[in-house]
Amino acid sequence: MKRARILHNGQQTDVTVNDDHQAVLADGTVINENEAHWLPPCDGKIFVLGLNYADHASELAFSAPEEPLVFLKGPNTLIGHNQKTYRPDNVDYMHYEAELVAIIGKTAKNVSREDAMDYIGGYTVGNDYAIRDYLENYYRPNLRVKSRDTCTPVGPFIIDADEVGDPGNLELKAYINGELKQHGNTKDMIFDIPFLVEYLSAIMTLQPGDMIFTGTPEGLADVKPGDEVVIEVEKVGRLTNTIITEDEYVVSLNA
Amino acid sequence: MRHSRILQAGVACDQTEEHSNTLIADQDTQWLPATTGTVLGIALNHADLREQMAEAFNEKPHVNPPKTPVLHIKTDNTHIGNGAAIPAPDDGETIYAGPSLGIVIGQQATRVSAADALDYVKGYTVVNEVSLAENSFYRPAVKAKCRDGFCPIGPWVVDAADVKEPEALQIATYVNGEMQHCTTTAKLHYGIAEIVEYVSSFITLQPGDLLIAGTPQRTEKLALKAGDTVAIEIEQIGRLENPVVAEQEIAQ
């Protein structure tokens, strides 16, 4: 089953998604992918892994961490499929990050690695944009880099975990305007999903809907207003969004 | 006026009453966190702490002093109300109280100027931003700051109109009834309006969101262990009191 949320008649509405990527309402109404206003498919805590692929860590000139580098984002960052992310004026480098997102399915505290997969309800696709200009060495990567409005497209839907099977061997791809820019595989994750569930649930109680963005492989590139960015995770989904200018964003706020 | 959230017969209820300066602690009330939105902390925002850190700011891994306010997120599992137990880690690791003024947002705020910022502040509350030792400010402090129950908020939100000079409020921390620490909101490096301006420059704040203005250095005076009771009292706002209980004991 693929579950999503859309804005329908001004209301957040739960839908399922069929094989033609159409949203299906509870009453059977079908809305085409490009006519639906997609919302983030869940809400909850947003955990993001930094440097969780060895190749990406070396790309950024870091050695791989010995403990997961986990940071948090706020709910203000989330947008759904086919929505817009703004690039601030006067920045030099804004990049996407293709990520598999694991969604917690039931309350989890002190869960062992062995049992961890029982607590994963499903998966979705995430794009963890960052603006490198704003990096400082305090709580790095700081919220200004990573927790900005519109900076985290997620979706289009959550696919049930049992339909994906092993999340440890999925191709990840990012395209800018149709050109393949990033290509990796979740088998190269340093800390895998069972480890991350054990690690996080030892610190705190996880709730259904909490999201774990599991990190990105190498292949970063700058994105500019007008670019269409597509993130694909094998067996999970395909998430599209476009980059707009800061002015366009401000206008949309006041619309 | 002051606004609280309490649990009555298992249901969360909003409660509004005239604000008085008497500090009432009703034994029978089960308080919920006084706010419901996102909670962001401003780290390194206490003048004394910045002075203490001045040298470390110029050393690795920080290299330079912070150019902008340093933010962190207190996840929803950390939020608890007045009187609820703060779980102490079973491994005995020391935890520290984090007395701070809480700034509560009243209306959606995007790109608000400092001059207009206070129009977006609904009121103020008391926050205990509990943390493990702050050994480093280099990496995000999820492990140190996001354990269950590590952010008591309340007991209530006092309307901004009822608080005179919010940047000159005394904040006292009591452990087991004895005052251990005293500071004031006059020590904030970035003031209330500057904080709202900075955060709203890239994060749209929603009504009910909470900004933790700034905590002092976590010295032994603020150390807590299972069995302690910690209370943070801010003049004109209120007194937030919580027992510290071993995690294992709470689980049972």
Side-chain angles (χ1 to χ4, degrees):
Chain A
M1 181 90 90
K2 297 169 184 167
R3 279 176 275 249
R5 289 174 176 172
I6 63 169
L7 194 66
H8 184 64
N9 296 332
Q11 297 285 321
Q12 177 180 304
T13 305
D14 290 334
V15 296
T16 58
V17 178
N18 66 22
D19 290 342
D20 295 323
H21 308 288
Q22 293 166 311
V24 182
L25 275 66
D27 66 5
T29 309
V30 174
I31 301 173
N32 287 329
E33 181 182 4
N34 288 328
E35 287 157 14
H37 181 122
W38 300 89
L39 298 172
C42 60
D43 43 56
K45 293 184 271 295
I46 308 164
F47 301 99
V48 190
L49 271 289
L51 310 177
N52 200 30
Y53 285 76
D55 54 0
H56 176 60
S58 63
E59 177 181 39
L60 296 175
F62 283 99
S63 53
E66 288 163 11
E67 187 180 331
L69 163 55
V70 179
F71 58 93
L72 294 159
K73 291 192 176 213
N76 64 298
T77 64
L78 293 181
I79 58 170
H81 176 53
N82 278 345
Q83 306 302 318
K84 297 175 174 70
T85 298
Y86 85 93
R87 176 185 167 114
D89 296 338
N90 309 314
V91 299
D92 287 331
Y93 198 28
M94 168 170 171
H95 63 75
Y96 54 79
E97 296 188 2
E99 308 202 5
L100 170 68
V101 183
I103 313 287
I104 296 296
K106 58 182 185 184
T107 303
K109 179 78 174 106
N110 293 325
V111 170
S112 70
R113 278 185 88 152
E114 290 70 32
D115 297 335
M117 294 311 287
D118 296 344
Y119 294 81
I120 299 298
Y123 302 95
T124 189
V125 181
N127 183 353
D128 168 30
Y129 283 108
I131 295 164
R132 302 197 63 79
D133 301 56
Y134 298 144
L135 276 171
E136 286 193 67
N137 290 335
Y138 295 88
Y139 291 157
R140 183 184 176 116
N142 66 52
L143 270 65
R144 194 167 170 229
V145 174
K146 287 283 195 177
S147 194
R148 313 175 58 79
D149 286 352
T150 74
C151 229
T152 315
V154 64
F157 47 75
I158 296 170
I159 182 167
D160 287 347
D162 57 9
E163 290 181 46
V164 174
D166 178 13
N169 188 15
L170 303 174
E171 295 278 310
L172 290 170
K173 290 175 182 167
Y175 300 84
I176 302 180
N177 303 323
E179 190 186 333
L180 181 65
K181 289 287 190 178
Q182 187 181 31
H183 187 187
N185 189 297
T186 57
K187 70 177 171 4
D188 297 321
M189 267 186 214
I190 298 169
F191 300 105
D192 64 10
I193 291 169
F195 184 97
L196 294 171
V197 171
E198 178 180 271
Y199 176 81
L200 291 169
S201 76
I203 300 170
M204 67 181 100
T205 304
L206 304 177
Q207 297 292 349
D210 286 354
M211 292 159 251
I212 306 174
F213 284 65
T214 54
T216 201
E218 72 171 336
L220 305 183
D222 191 27
V223 291
K224 294 276 196 317
D227 286 346
E228 182 190 71
V229 182
V230 173
I231 309 292
E232 249 178 37
V233 180
E234 184 186 358
K235 292 187 180 173
V236 176
R238 188 171 195 272
L239 171 69
T240 302
N241 91 305
T242 48
I243 308 298
I244 57 172
T245 64
E246 188 163 6
D247 279 350
E248 286 171 310
Y249 175 63
V250 172
V251 167
S252 75
L253 283 175
N254 299 325
Chain B
M1 305 288 266
R2 68 186 185 202
H3 312 274
S4 55
R5 296 173 60 243
I6 58 170
L7 202 62
Q8 269 176 342
V11 180
C13 302
D14 293 324
Q15 196 175 246
T16 294
E17 55 193 325
E18 281 298 327
H19 180 53
S20 72
N21 286 322
T22 53
L23 301 164
I24 305 160
D26 181 344
Q27 296 293 320
D28 298 328
T29 304
Q30 194 178 343
W31 302 90
L32 294 170
T35 60
T36 53
T38 299
V39 178
L40 301 174
I42 322 299
L44 298 169
N45 199 33
H46 191 279
D48 295 350
L49 174 57
R50 290 179 78 97
E51 213 169 284
Q52 295 280 350
M53 293 283 297
E55 222 167 286
F57 283 162
N58 291 306
E59 292 166 357
K60 280 185 178 174
H62 304 306
V63 186
N64 295 304
K67 290 190 204 102
T68 57
V70 179
L71 308 186
H72 62 95
I73 294 176
K74 294 292 269 197
T75 44
D76 53 2
N77 61 299
T78 66
H79 311 166
I80 59 172
N82 182 50
I86 301 168
D90 292 330
D91 62 9
E93 191 167 353
T94 305
I95 67 174
Y96 296 86
S100 176
L101 179 71
I103 305 164
V104 182
I105 299 299
Q107 54 173 312
Q108 186 173 302
T110 307
R111 293 151 189 270
V112 170
S113 70
D116 295 335
L118 296 183
D119 296 345
Y120 293 81
V121 174
K122 174 190 172 67
Y124 301 97
T125 188
V126 183
V127 183
N128 187 354
E129 195 274 284
V130 179
S131 180
L132 301 180
E134 294 181 309
N135 295 322
S136 166
F137 291 91
Y138 180 59
R139 286 300 187 193
V142 176
K143 225 173 161 179
K145 292 186 178 293
C146 292
R147 298 181 67 95
D148 292 349
F150 264 29
C151 195
I153 302 162
W156 42 65
V157 177
V158 176
D159 283 340
D162 294 335
V163 180
K164 291 179 203 79
E165 296 193 68
E167 289 178 356
L169 302 174
Q170 185 178 285
I171 306 177
T173 303
Y174 299 82
V175 179
N176 302 326
E178 275 189 41
M179 185 157 78
Q180 291 289 340
H181 188 276
C182 193
T183 183
T184 152
T185 55
K187 295 273 190 185
L188 292 174
H189 176 77
Y190 295 104
I192 295 164
E194 286 172 290
I195 290 170
V196 173
E197 177 182 64
Y198 176 73
V199 175
S200 75
S201 72
F202 60 94
I203 293 173
T204 295
L205 292 166
Q206 302 292 346
D209 285 356
L210 173 67
L211 304 171
I212 305 170
T215 48
Q217 195 188 25
R218 320 266 174 169
T219 64
E220 289 312 303
K221 293 276 184 195
L222 293 173
L224 304 172
K225 60 182 185 308
D228 287 345
T229 295
V230 56
I232 314 255
E233 194 172 295
I234 305 184
E235 60 173 323
Q236 296 184 58
I237 314 285
R239 180 184 174 98
L240 173 67
E241 186 167 305
N242 298 83
V244 182
V245 179
E247 206 164 47
Q248 230 168 9
E249 216 172 297
I250 294 173
Q252 281 164 7

